[in-house]
Amino acid sequence: MLDFYLTATTYCLFQLTMSLNSSTLLNEENSQGPKRNPECLESLELQTPSSFQENPLQQLQLASQEVLEKAKKSGRSKCPRCSSSRMFYCYTCFVPVETVPTKEIPTVKLPLKIDIIKHPNETDGKSTAVHAKLLAPDDVTIYKYPCIPEYEEKRHEIALIFPGPDSVSVKDIAFHLQKYTKKSVCDNDNDCSGEPRLKQAKIEPKEEKNLNECISSNRSEGTRLKKIIFIDSTWNQTNKIITDERLQGLLQIELKTRKTCFWRHQKGKPDTYLSTIEAIYYFLVDYHQEILKENYKGQYDNLLFFFSFMYTLIKNAKCCAGKE
């Protein structure tokens, strides 16, 4: 059951890939391998991410990635805030570089807030968590452990993505969050104490109906998920975070088993280890269908805007190197 979707981020040499164009990447990947095909390299420049065959991400409804194509050709650029040399975006400041105008980057509106808790030893350039912050800046916050919020008072509206014996599926979130609100509802309504209640004034049927609707509405609001937490770390680093007292008592959710498209993962590990951005994306798709009860029409596909571009870039590079 260790389909652990948080660890894949550390298996990727993302910082190296982001700093190199496709030709340099081929030299790095293929220094001891077969010779590259010049014709393939030429065709690589003509391909767009959506045109690559057998791309499992090609069905995504993405904004135009032409801005990334241009940035790839021009190479590294400065971060507008810290002036560091980066490719596509600054993973420290969470902003696009100068050659990637913010207005050309899609913005995704999420149905709830997301907190990402990043282990201090997790290399910034290897993490895909920054993608979420870049593409959904109003709804995503990244914390570096141990500097994280206190969640105890809001645990009836917060859940943690983490597999385990007590984890529940996305479709069962509302049912299990009710357990966290039962005590507070009983305290407020005085209907669970077992103590005698004072005689109340008679309520007319119409007034009683309105009162019941109000109580029902308040309870439904109290069991609605408002924030989801993701952990961005390796499997070995996770224990320190998940055992933190500030995360104890939170509802834990386990995602459906899905195969990762991450281009780097540790040998011997299952391909169900998702990167952080993949885990966020798949959770939101499930949430949209299972909880909001709405048809999914690509509302969150642009969360994979950077991820899909890098996937295609590396896939093409491997193809030209004769590895696939």
Side-chain angles (χ1 to χ4, degrees):
M1 77 174 287
L2 297 180
D3 294 340
F4 191 51
Y5 18 81
L6 307 175
T7 61
T9 25
T10 60
Y11 308 144
C12 142
L13 299 180
F14 191 76
Q15 187 174 17
L16 174 62
T17 304
M18 297 296 284
S19 64
L20 300 174
N21 60 27
S22 58
S23 297
T24 305
L25 178 62
L26 284 171
N27 287 327
E28 293 290 332
E29 291 265 348
N30 201 37
S31 58
Q32 302 297 326
K35 294 182 179 180
R36 291 171 289 165
N37 185 341
E39 295 180 358
C40 184
L41 281 178
E42 183 177 354
S43 64
L44 177 61
E45 295 298 322
L46 299 176
Q47 282 184 311
T48 60
S50 61
S51 67
F52 188 79
Q53 294 182 352
E54 299 181 358
N55 181 351
L57 303 176
Q58 65 184 354
Q59 300 302 319
L60 295 174
Q61 300 180 40
L62 299 172
S64 172
Q65 294 174 319
E66 183 179 358
V67 62
L68 300 182
E69 287 284 358
K70 293 179 179 178
K72 180 193 70 173
K73 293 177 181 179
S74 61
R76 297 165 70 91
S77 180
K78 284 186 178 181
C79 168
R81 293 187 182 177
C82 67
S83 298
S84 297
S85 178
R86 299 283 189 259
M87 192 72 173
F88 302 135
Y89 57 80
C90 178
Y91 44 74
T92 304
C93 302
F94 309 143
V95 295
V97 295
E98 294 178 348
T99 56
V100 182
T102 303
K103 64 181 181 180
E104 296 187 42
I105 299 298
T107 300
V108 184
K109 180 61 181 175
L110 306 184
L112 37 68
K113 301 298 182 182
I114 289 179
D115 282 0
I116 300 175
I117 301 176
K118 187 174 177 294
H119 194 281
N121 293 338
E122 180 75 358
T123 305
D124 291 339
K126 293 180 179 180
S127 173
T128 61
V130 63
H131 295 184
K133 181 61 179 175
L134 284 163
L135 299 165
D138 295 336
D139 298 316
V140 175
T141 304
I142 298 179
Y143 297 96
K144 182 169 287 189
Y145 188 83
C147 299
I148 64 175
E150 297 285 347
Y151 294 109
E152 183 176 1
E153 293 184 1
K154 296 290 186 179
R155 66 178 185 173
H156 60 284
E157 56 190 34
I158 299 176
L160 171 67
I161 298 294
F162 195 84
D166 298 322
S167 298
V168 303
S169 64
V170 172
K171 66 182 179 63
D172 294 326
I173 289 176
F175 172 78
H176 288 278
L177 281 180
Q178 289 178 349
K179 298 177 182 178
Y180 293 92
T181 60
K182 183 177 180 180
K183 184 178 184 303
S184 60
V185 169
C186 290
D187 290 342
N188 292 334
D189 295 346
N190 291 323
D191 58 355
C192 299
S193 63
E195 296 294 329
R197 302 179 64 182
L198 295 176
K199 186 176 181 180
Q200 297 179 344
K202 183 179 180 180
I203 302 177
E204 296 298 326
K206 183 177 180 180
E207 294 177 345
E208 184 176 7
K209 180 180 179 181
N210 292 337
L211 178 61
N212 290 335
E213 289 178 352
C214 179
I215 293 175
S216 177
S217 176
N218 289 338
R219 290 182 177 177
S220 297
E221 178 68 18
T223 58
R224 186 169 66 87
L225 184 66
K226 296 182 180 179
K227 179 176 289 187
I228 193 77
I229 302 171
F230 290 83
I231 297 176
D232 187 40
S233 75
T234 65
W235 171 261
N236 293 332
Q237 295 168 342
T238 301
N239 186 63
K240 184 176 182 179
I241 297 179
I242 197 62
T243 56
D244 189 291
E245 61 180 8
R246 290 167 290 184
L247 299 181
Q248 301 311 299
L250 292 177
L251 177 66
Q252 293 184 10
I253 300 172
E254 185 166 7
L255 299 181
K256 296 178 182 177
T257 299
R258 290 184 172 95
K259 290 185 178 181
T260 183
C261 288
F262 222 179
W263 43 91
R264 296 293 176 90
H265 58 271
Q266 190 178 32
K267 290 183 179 180
K269 296 295 182 180
D271 57 6
T272 52
Y273 281 23
L274 303 180
S275 65
T276 300
I277 192 62
E278 286 178 299
I280 292 173
Y281 170 74
Y282 285 124
F283 165 78
L284 289 171
V285 172
D286 291 344
Y287 181 84
H288 194 85
Q289 296 172 324
E290 301 284 357
I291 303 300
L292 300 183
K293 302 297 183 181
E294 297 179 11
N295 293 330
Y296 183 70
K297 299 179 180 179
Q299 289 89 335
Y300 316 119
D301 284 9
N302 274 322
L303 286 175
L304 299 178
F305 180 76
F306 292 105
F307 183 88
S308 64
F309 184 84
M310 290 306 305
Y311 171 86
T312 301
L313 182 66
I314 295 174
K315 191 81 171 176
N316 286 342
K318 289 184 177 180
C319 173
C320 292
K323 287 191 173 184
E324 293 186 8

